[in-house]
Amino acid sequence: MTLGQLSAFVLVARLGSVTGAARALGVTEPAVSQALAALRQHHGDRLLVRSAQGMTLTPAGRRLLPIASRMVELGADADAAVRQASGAPEPLRVAVTSTVAEFVIGPLLEAFGTRSGDTVDVSSGLATTEQMGVLVSHRLADAALGPALTGPEVDSVPVFRCALVAVGAPDRRVQGDPASWPWSVGPSGADPDSDVARLLRQLRVPDTRIQVYPNETSAWSAAAGGAGVSVAVEHLVAPLLRRRELAVLPTSATPAPVCWHLTTPARQRCSAAAASLRYFLGTPAAMQLMRSPDRGVPPSRFRPPVHVTIWS
C-alpha cells in the first residue's frame, strides 16, 4: 500500500469518478484504475463500486476513507518536515482556475517569489472548483485561488473583488433574449461550479448555445470576430474594450459581482508558505497585480500552470 494509491482512492471517493481523479492528478485514467486495483487486492475488498451516482464507497471503503485521508495528510507533513530539516525551500502548491491561470498567477507568484527569496518553491496547477476543495482539504495543494470554498477543513478568505460582463463585437449588436445568443467561453464555462457557469445558468443559456474554447483569449477573439457573445472579467478585458475590439453588452444579470478567494487548509494545518501568501495577497502590490496583471515574467522565473501530477 502506497501514498500514491491512497491519494487516488481519496480523490475518486471525494470526486465520485475515476475521470475526475485522473484530471486532478494529471495522470491517465488507467493509472488511477491500477492504483485502485492494487489497493483493492491489498485489502481484499472492492472499496469503491460504480452506481448511478458515480463511484460509491462500500462499507469497508467508508471506514478506510478517513484513515486514508489522514495518511495522505501525514505524508505531506513528513515531506515538509524532511525538507525543513535539510534546509530545502518550502513547497507552495497553488491550485487555480483557468482564468486566474491565464492572466494573474504568473506575475502574482513571480512577485511573491521575489519577496520570499529562496525560502519558498512555488508552483501552480489548474483545477476545477470541485477539485480545488478536495486538493486543499487533503493537503494535496497548499492553497487555491478562485471561487470561495466551504468545508470544516478549509479557510476561505476574500482577496479581490471584480465583476463579470458580457462582451461582443462592437459592430454586431445582438438582439433578443440572452438565452438565445451564441456564447463563446473559456474553460471556466465547462466548470459547473464556476462564476461563469453560474452566470450562464442565471441567464438560462442552454448548453446547445455554448461553445467552450481552450482559453479566455481565444473565446474573446471569437466574440470579437462575430462568432457570438463571451463572458469576461471586466478589468481583464478592459484593454480590448478601450481599443474597441469588444464592447460590453447589457443583460439582466450583468455586471455580476464576483470575488476571488484564497483557500487554505484550516489555520492549524495551514503551512507557513500558504499563510505568507495569504498575507501577501492583501498588500497593495498584490492588489495592483490582480487589477493590472499585464507585465511580463523573467524567463528564469517563468512557471507555467501545470497539472498536479508533479505534486503527487
Side-chain angles (χ1 to χ4, degrees), residues 13-302:
R14 297 299 190 191
L15 296 174
S17 79
V18 171
T19 301
R23 287 176 178 170
L25 289 171
V27 300
T28 63
E29 292 182 37
V32 174
S33 297
Q34 290 170 10
L36 289 179
L39 203 59
R40 285 164 168 161
Q41 183 176 8
H42 178 85
H43 289 289
D45 189 273
R46 297 183 68 187
L47 302 177
L48 287 154
V49 296
R50 294 188 183 277
S51 69
Q53 291 74 40
M55 299 293 287
T56 58
L57 293 162
T58 65
R62 284 194 293 272
R63 291 199 174 193
L64 175 61
L65 181 58
I67 300 171
S69 299
R70 183 58 180 151
M71 292 174 73
V72 170
E73 293 167 13
L74 287 172
D77 289 340
D79 180 67
V82 172
R83 291 175 70 97
Q84 184 177 19
S86 62
E90 182 180 3
L92 177 62
R93 304 157 298 182
V94 186
V96 296
T97 63
S98 59
T99 301
V100 172
E102 185 175 349
F103 295 101
V104 174
I105 202 64
L108 195 64
L109 292 187
E110 192 273 332
F112 176 72
T114 300
R115 180 189 181 105
S116 303
D118 297 327
T119 62
V120 179
D121 181 16
V122 185
S123 62
S124 63
L126 297 170
T128 65
T129 305
E130 182 183 22
Q131 290 168 353
M132 282 181 175
V134 175
L135 291 169
V136 173
S137 63
H138 293 287
R139 299 281 302 281
L140 295 171
D142 302 297
L145 184 58
L149 304 177
T150 59
E153 299 176 338
V154 300
D155 283 337
S156 198
V157 297
V159 294
F160 189 80
R161 299 187 183 279
C162 49
L164 293 177
V165 293
V167 294
D171 56 346
R172 296 191 182 183
R173 296 286 178 171
V174 290
Q175 303 292 331
D177 188 348
S180 66
W181 299 349
W183 290 82
S184 303
V185 297
S188 58
D191 178 358
D193 300 313
S194 71
D195 295 322
V196 171
R198 282 197 291 268
L199 173 62
L200 293 175
R201 285 197 297 270
Q202 187 175 352
L203 292 172
R204 305 192 180 195
V205 180
D207 286 348
T208 55
R209 305 300 295 170
I210 302 172
Q211 188 76 26
V212 180
Y213 285 77
N215 51 57
E216 303 286 344
T217 301
S218 58
W220 298 349
S221 296
V229 178
S230 190
V231 178
V233 177
E234 189 171 24
H235 71 281
L236 296 179
V237 80
L240 279 72
L241 298 176
R242 287 194 294 269
R243 296 196 297 266
R244 293 199 51 78
E245 296 178 28
L246 288 169
V248 174
L249 305 177
T251 76
S252 60
T254 55
V258 296
C259 185
W260 294 342
H261 287 69
L262 183 75
T263 303
T264 63
R267 291 185 181 269
Q268 64 271 22
R269 299 165 56 239
C270 179
S271 70
S276 180
L277 177 63
R278 183 171 54 209
Y279 173 81
F280 171 70
L281 292 181
T283 64
M287 290 291 176
Q288 180 60 34
L289 284 172
M290 287 186 282
R291 186 175 296 109
S292 301
D294 52 4
R295 68 184 182 89
V297 178
S300 60
R301 298 196 65 91
F302 176 69

